[in-house]
Amino acid sequence: METLETIGFDLGHGETAVAKAVIESIEPPEMLEVNNKKNQITALGWHPELGYLVGEQALIQVGVTQLQIAFKQKPNQDASYRETLRSFLKTYYSLLKESKQIQGEKNSYFYVGCPSGWSLEDREEYQKLLQEAGIPLLNVIPESRAAFMQAKEAGKLEYNKLTSSVLIVDIGSSTTDFTLVKSLSEIPIDFGSNELGASLIDKAIFERTLANHEQKELLEKVFSQYSHHKARCELACRKAKEDYFSNEQLYSSPQSFARGFESINEQIYFIPQVNQSIMEEILNHPLVELGKKSWIQSFREAVTVAKEKLDKQGIAPKVVLMTGGASRMKFTRLICEKTFPEPDTQVRPDPEPERCIALGLARVGRWDLRAAAFKQEMNYLFDSNFFRNLIEKNLPNLIELLTNSLSDELIKSIVKTGLKDWQHNKIRTLSDLEVSMKQRAEQWVKSNETQALINSQCLAWFNSKIQPELADKTDPICRKFQIPRSSLRFEEGIAPAAVNPELQIGDAILAEIVSFIINVVIGGGTLASLLTLILTGHLAWPIALVYGASALAAGMELNRKGVKDTIKTNLDVPGWMRSNLLSDSKIDSICKEINPELEKVLKEQLAANQETFDQLMEKVELGLKDALNAKIQEAIILIQ
């Protein structure tokens, strides 16, 4: 059975929300409804006839005998907690299937969030517990990752910020988590005991309201005997808090109040109320849960510690992304803005924190599955012989391009320059010309200009031969995963190092090339003709200059090879004769004649050296794979 959809299940301490994303679609996830609401109070009630009820139904249904709220916490062995969590998730799952909003079974993959401060062991234990609810496919991931993904997919983070550093501040009902996302990897920031949840504010409002209630003692008795009444009154306190922070300016006057309401019976009412002065008192009141620090002090210190830890690493986040329902509290944004000032950092509260995590979880699930399938497709390509065959087929063309350009440059930099220097009397003898050419060849091989020449030819080869055939393979993959074809193309060029075979003209090959040049230049053409004239007696004066007139007059028998070597070593042709013996046109003619032969020698030397040929293929294949792999990592970011 194929997984068709991912379900983002945001089981929060205060509220629960669920979203669905279709795997084969790039459409935004949709919020799902339970009890005709997209967000539910995290509540589980037991009714003797109706069984388990969740959310608003658990609160308003007459006859509910047990009520549990705000029960999300780190996994533990408490039997009541484990049963509550299992029953809540199982009931939710059944309602979603019954309403046909999800397909269920292995067609639906659930992604459930947890605080990023939880350890890997906590997450694994939490996942095992949730799987006991009977959901076949379920994964637990940090809520901060979901918040980041939602911001990314909803277009709230530009590409440069996606690949830089983003600090996520998730202010939930039970915890406040700080997570650094750097180059798409999550790094939780631990700032000590994390009990800093917005439900502590609800609790403070509850305690204040109870302490000031005219029927305090009676209420305490009711709460001790009927826990569901206490739970409803706590939710009334939460409503008062949310109403206040949704429009603080409205409640700045001492005569205006944000209120909650809960009826215990016809005579007893529980009415929590807050305004600006009351809320300031609550936020600045020391709390036992926070080590006798106030909520606002603890939050400010937590943000400061996070900033200090980032400073020590030399990290200045481009964006501080605030999420979680409690991020609507204005003072939290002001503290973040003061601690992380612009222009280095932008503080961005999520506009829909109550839905952000559910939508983000669904997106993460879809992204995980699609990215895994994408990487699998690319791995098939990498594991095949495609790259090897592609390079092997086109490598002769690369060698052709390289030998043509190298031959041209060798002739220009070594042959032509050497002959010009001899012509202009800068080089004394033919033997000196040999030495000069060898030295020039060795320097030329190691020069930056030669490397630049090789790079340009490698890029030309890649663009004309490799890129088109590579695109034939990658374009269908891009279409399948609905990402731009350019994601896996090198339309803006490829780094020369990726396709440069680092052609090493070794000593043996270099010696062969230089030997060829010298044999052709010194042993052929006009210079060879000069030697021939001297040795056959048509130019007898050079011998007289070298051996002396008396030796020549005596008819000294000379060894032909010895004469040739001696002339090369000692004969210094007068400058006024050189232009006649070796004109500019003759130099051009020699260079033109030598070019095809030199190309042939280069090709033969490379082809004859099988080890070099194999190294060329291996290096180009590895370089191309590395370059494409970098493109793959960038493309994964674009998968929706």
Side-chain angles (χ1 to χ4, degrees):
M1 188 179 295
E2 184 183 5
T3 302
L4 302 176
E5 58 193 18
T6 55
I7 311 301
F9 199 97
D10 178 22
L11 198 170
H13 191 70
E15 286 190 349
T16 294
V18 185
K20 178 179 75 173
V22 178
I23 293 177
E24 294 302 323
S25 170
I26 59 173
E27 292 299 316
E30 62 174 313
M31 295 297 298
L32 305 184
E33 294 186 353
V34 167
N35 303 330
N36 296 315
K37 283 193 170 185
K38 292 182 171 65
N39 288 76
Q40 292 287 323
I41 298 294
T42 301
L44 178 70
W46 172 256
H47 191 283
E49 296 178 5
L50 301 176
Y52 282 114
L53 303 172
V54 296
E56 296 291 329
Q57 288 293 326
L59 298 174
I60 65 176
Q61 182 65 49
V62 176
V64 170
T65 57
Q66 299 176 35
L67 181 65
Q68 299 287 336
I69 64 167
F71 43 78
K72 180 181 180 179
Q73 55 185 283
K74 280 187 179 181
N76 56 62
Q77 297 306 312
D78 181 85
S80 175
Y81 153 75
R82 297 177 75 87
E83 179 58 32
T84 297
L85 204 59
R86 277 194 300 264
S87 300
F88 180 77
L89 191 59
K90 185 175 183 179
T91 304
Y92 234 103
Y93 182 55
S94 297
L95 290 171
L96 292 170
K97 284 203 301 180
E98 288 170 7
S99 62
K100 300 192 182 305
Q101 294 183 82
I102 67 171
Q103 299 194 34
E105 305 307 324
K106 292 189 176 181
N107 285 323
S108 305
Y109 206 129
F110 273 64
Y111 278 72
V112 184
C114 74
S116 61
W118 284 14
S119 67
L120 180 59
E121 291 75 15
D122 291 333
R123 283 163 53 185
E124 290 175 347
E125 182 60 31
Y126 191 57
Q127 182 168 315
K128 290 178 184 176
L129 174 57
L130 296 179
Q131 285 173 331
E132 293 175 10
I135 301 176
L137 297 175
L138 185 146
N139 191 18
V140 172
I141 63 168
E143 289 157 355
S144 56
R145 187 181 175 205
F148 178 78
M149 185 63 74
Q150 174 61 12
K152 163 190 172 290
E153 297 294 339
K156 298 168 189 170
L157 289 177
E158 298 83 357
Y159 182 82
N160 66 321
K161 293 183 173 64
L162 285 175
T163 54
S164 59
S165 298
V166 178
L167 178 65
I168 299 175
V169 182
D170 184 4
I171 313 173
S173 290
S174 59
T175 63
T176 295
D177 294 304
F178 294 80
T179 305
L180 175 68
V181 179
K182 186 178 180 182
S183 300
L184 303 180
S185 298
E186 301 94 9
I187 307 169
I189 299 175
D190 181 15
F191 58 86
S193 178
N194 191 351
E195 304 294 335
L196 187 60
S199 61
L200 292 177
I201 302 173
D202 307 348
K203 183 179 178 182
I205 297 173
F206 175 84
E207 291 175 350
R208 179 189 176 90
T209 305
L210 179 61
N212 296 331
H213 203 286
E214 59 185 12
Q215 295 177 298
K216 175 177 177 289
E217 293 182 0
L218 178 59
L219 278 175
E220 288 176 336
K221 289 181 180 179
V222 171
F223 292 157
S224 65
Q225 294 178 25
Y226 305 101
S227 60
H228 60 284
H229 280 307
K230 182 180 180 181
R232 288 192 176 98
C233 290
E234 288 174 344
L235 289 172
C237 294
R238 176 179 174 170
K239 181 181 183 304
K241 177 198 71 177
E242 290 177 346
D243 285 351
Y244 171 79
F245 282 112
S246 67
N247 196 344
E248 294 181 46
Q249 188 174 2
L250 186 63
Y251 304 111
S252 58
S253 168
Q255 286 75 41
S256 59
F257 296 91
R259 292 184 174 89
F261 179 85
E262 180 59 34
S263 172
I264 307 299
N265 59 31
E266 294 179 357
Q267 286 81 36
I268 305 175
Y269 303 102
F270 189 86
I271 307 175
Q273 57 183 24
V274 291
N275 59 17
Q276 187 178 63
S277 61
I278 294 173
M279 185 58 74
E280 286 182 356
E281 180 184 334
I282 289 172
L283 291 174
N284 288 284
H285 183 74
L287 300 174
V288 174
E289 296 89 343
L290 298 177
K292 300 295 182 67
K293 296 178 182 178
S294 69
W295 205 100
I296 199 166
Q297 179 188 358
S298 296
F299 183 79
R300 184 180 289 110
E301 288 182 0
V303 176
T304 301
V305 169
K307 174 73 160 56
E308 289 172 350
K309 292 197 172 189
L310 294 178
D311 286 344
K312 286 181 181 178
Q313 300 177 52
I315 297 173
K318 295 289 186 184
V319 174
V320 172
L321 184 64
M322 300 183 68
T323 189
S327 65
R328 290 188 183 277
M329 299 188 296
K330 184 179 179 180
F331 73 89
T332 61
R333 176 170 57 82
L334 295 177
I335 289 174
C336 287
E337 287 177 340
K338 185 175 181 180
T339 309
F340 294 94
E342 293 186 343
D344 292 338
T345 304
Q346 293 181 336
V347 176
R348 297 185 184 179
D350 192 281
E352 291 185 298
E354 66 280 354
R355 298 182 181 184
C356 167
I357 301 301
L359 292 168
L361 288 167
R363 290 186 188 274
V364 167
R366 177 166 67 184
W367 185 88
D368 275 356
L369 297 177
R370 285 171 63 81
F374 173 73
K375 285 190 274 191
Q376 187 177 45
E377 290 262 6
M378 295 309 299
N379 285 338
Y380 285 150
L381 188 61
F382 273 74
D383 293 339
S384 70
N385 291 322
F386 169 72
F387 290 96
R388 186 74 175 183
N389 294 338
L390 175 63
I391 294 165
E392 187 173 10
K393 181 178 73 174
N394 289 289
L395 197 56
N397 182 266
L398 174 59
I399 292 176
E400 179 85 18
L401 287 173
L402 288 173
T403 52
N404 289 349
S405 57
L406 289 174
S407 176
D408 290 341
E409 195 60 32
L410 272 167
I411 290 172
K412 176 184 173 183
S413 301
I414 299 169
V415 177
K416 192 167 188 176
T417 303
L419 293 177
K420 284 283 188 180
D421 285 349
W422 186 90
Q423 181 196 52
H424 295 145
N425 210 19
K426 293 179 181 179
I427 294 176
R428 194 174 68 86
T429 69
L430 299 184
S431 182
D432 292 340
L433 179 58
E434 282 190 25
V435 173
S436 173
M437 285 184 171
K438 287 178 182 177
Q439 291 174 345
R440 286 179 187 275
E442 290 169 358
Q443 293 170 0
W444 176 83
V445 165
K446 300 173 184 177
S447 68
N448 293 332
E449 291 77 7
T450 301
Q451 190 57 56
L453 177 64
I454 293 174
N455 283 345
S456 67
Q457 295 305 314
C458 288
L459 291 177
W461 170 74
F462 175 81
N463 291 329
S464 63
K465 297 297 181 181
I466 303 299
Q467 170 81 297
E469 291 192 48
L470 182 60
D472 288 343
K473 286 288 186 180
T474 59
D475 284 358
I477 297 175
C478 291
R479 283 195 296 271
K480 180 177 180 179
F481 291 93
Q482 297 171 298
I483 58 177
R485 291 183 305 171
S486 58
S487 304
L488 295 181
R489 288 188 174 194
F490 297 89
E491 293 179 342
E492 296 180 0
I494 189 171
V499 291
N500 185 341
E502 297 180 6
L503 183 64
Q504 299 295 324
I505 302 179
D507 293 341
I509 296 177
L510 179 62
E512 188 70 26
I513 293 170
V514 172
S515 175
F516 168 78
I517 292 174
I518 290 171
N519 285 337
V520 172
V521 174
I522 306 297
T526 298
L527 297 181
S529 300
L530 173 63
L531 284 172
T532 301
L533 289 170
I534 293 171
L535 292 172
T536 57
H538 289 84
L539 287 175
W541 61 265
I543 300 177
L545 289 175
V546 175
Y547 285 93
S550 59
L552 181 61
M556 175 182 176
E557 289 290 331
L558 296 175
N559 177 277
R560 190 178 183 86
K561 182 179 185 302
V563 173
K564 182 175 180 180
D565 291 341
T566 303
I567 290 174
K568 283 173 58 179
T569 305
N570 297 290
L571 178 60
D572 184 0
V573 176
W576 59 269
M577 291 188 63
R578 295 192 179 205
S579 295
N580 293 326
L581 291 171
L582 191 66
S583 64
D584 288 344
S585 61
K586 187 61 178 176
I587 291 175
D588 291 338
S589 177
I590 291 173
C591 291
K592 185 176 180 180
E593 290 173 7
I594 197 176
N595 198 355
E597 288 298 319
L598 183 56
E599 289 179 7
K600 182 179 178 183
V601 169
L602 273 169
K603 290 175 190 175
E604 287 175 350
Q605 287 300 309
L606 288 173
N609 193 327
Q610 188 61 45
E611 183 180 353
T612 301
F613 198 85
D614 291 340
Q615 287 176 355
L616 291 184
M617 285 202 296
E618 185 177 339
K619 287 178 180 177
V620 174
E621 180 182 4
L622 183 61
L624 181 55
K625 282 184 175 180
D626 286 345
L628 184 58
N629 196 50
K631 297 286 285 184
I632 290 170
Q633 299 310 312
E634 294 175 3
I636 287 173
I637 300 174
L638 303 174
I639 293 177
Q640 299 182 34

